């Protein structure tokens, strides 16, 4: 039970601030949307534990850092939205 079973998280269009905790990503997660918030920091490595992830959206936040090549490991990823942040790489 609990967070270990989460398959989807939708936090979009809120006023959440701070960094995304890597521990919220589970192997069974398929969907993560945190678009249009005030999130900062880098994309957590925990994202890459979610091997079945099909959608990852952190557009329109205040995130930074490099875009990891580890996204290539997410073979089921169909939608990746990182726009309107301060990413590089």
């Amino acid at each position: 039970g609990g967070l270990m079973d989460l398959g989807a998280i939708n936090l979009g269009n809120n006023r959440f601030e701070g960094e995304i905790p890597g521990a919220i990503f589970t192997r069974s997660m398929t969907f993560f949307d945190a678009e249009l918030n005030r999130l900062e920091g880098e994309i957590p490595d925990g994202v890459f534990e979610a091997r079945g992830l099909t959608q990852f959206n952190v557009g329109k936040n205040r995130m930074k850092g490099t875009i990891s090549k580890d996204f290539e490991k997410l073979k089921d990823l169909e939608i990746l939205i990182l726009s309107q942040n301060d990413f590089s790489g």
Side-chain angles (χ1 to χ4, degrees):
L3 286 178
M4 297 308 295
D5 295 329
L6 275 180
I9 295 179
N10 185 347
L11 304 172
N13 199 16
N14 285 286
R15 292 185 178 142
F16 291 119
E17 296 181 1
E19 297 186 6
I20 300 170
I24 65 171
F25 294 94
T26 65
R27 289 195 179 273
S28 60
M29 185 172 291
T30 60
F31 178 90
F32 182 82
D33 185 339
E35 183 178 51
L36 200 57
N37 280 288
R38 297 174 184 162
L39 299 173
E40 299 175 334
E42 299 184 7
I43 296 170
D45 289 338
V47 170
F48 308 110
E49 296 299 318
R51 297 294 182 173
L53 200 63
T54 60
Q55 297 183 44
F56 181 77
N57 181 358
V58 292
K60 300 178 184 173
N61 278 286
R62 299 173 180 167
M63 299 185 73
K64 62 184 179 190
T66 59
I67 299 171
S68 176
K69 292 184 186 268
D70 286 341
F71 276 109
E72 295 175 355
K73 295 179 182 177
L74 300 177
K75 300 298 183 190
D76 295 329
L77 191 64
E78 297 174 5
I79 298 172
L80 174 63
I81 301 173
L82 306 173
S83 60
Q84 297 186 39
N85 282 287
D86 195 24
F87 291 120
S88 60

